[in-house]
Amino acid sequence: MQNAIKEKGFTVIFIWRLIPIIPFPLINFAAGLSQIRFIDYFLATAIGQIPGTFIVTYVSAKIGERLLNGQFTFQELLSVDLIIAILIFVAFTILPVLYHRKYHGRQKVIKT
């Protein structure tokens, strides 16, 4: 992993930031222990957080708006705009994992 971060730091951090189930403090800690260049870490973090932040904010705003107007029902969760936003969120969870498996495969750990 150390070599991957050193050689392709931007890509590794960017993909990790896109996966919303990986806690950001864990990514920060791993990056701090690695030899990633600061500019790679900074840009990957800045760009990689945008999609997830936008989607979570959009869904929260839509649901919050409907709750405040007293128009919220569970059928509202089946509206087209919320379903599309949730599907995009799910895609951002799955696509980076598929990308990693396709291009990096499962690396075997050799114990000595």
Side-chain angles (χ1 to χ4, degrees), residues 43-82:
L43 291 175
T45 296
I47 297 168
Q49 289 186 34
I50 292 171
T53 302
F54 176 78
I55 292 167
V56 168
T57 302
Y58 179 79
V59 170
S60 300
K62 285 294 187 181
I63 292 173
E65 178 183 328
R66 291 173 183 158
L67 279 171
L68 291 174
N69 290 333
Q71 302 170 348
F72 183 78
T73 63
F74 285 106
Q75 291 174 345
E76 292 287 330
L77 293 176
L78 299 176
S79 66
V80 175
D81 57 342
L82 289 180

Side-chain angles (χ1 to χ4, degrees), residues 4-21:
I5 292 177
K6 185 177 180 180
E7 294 173 11
K8 300 178 183 182
F10 176 87
T11 304
V12 171
I13 297 297
F14 180 73
I15 289 172
W16 286 354
R17 292 290 185 198
L18 288 178
I19 303 173
I21 57 174

Side-chain angles (χ1 to χ4, degrees), residues 72-110:
F72 183 78
T73 63
F74 285 106
Q75 291 174 345
E76 292 287 330
L77 293 176
L78 299 176
S79 66
V80 175
D81 57 342
L82 289 180
I83 289 174
I84 290 172
I86 291 168
L87 288 175
I88 292 171
F89 185 78
V90 169
F92 275 111
T93 303
I94 295 171
L95 291 177
V97 174
L98 295 176
Y99 171 84
H100 179 75
R101 285 187 181 167
K102 180 176 181 179
Y103 292 104
H104 301 289
R106 295 186 181 266
Q107 298 177 355
K108 294 181 181 178
V109 177
I110 301 172

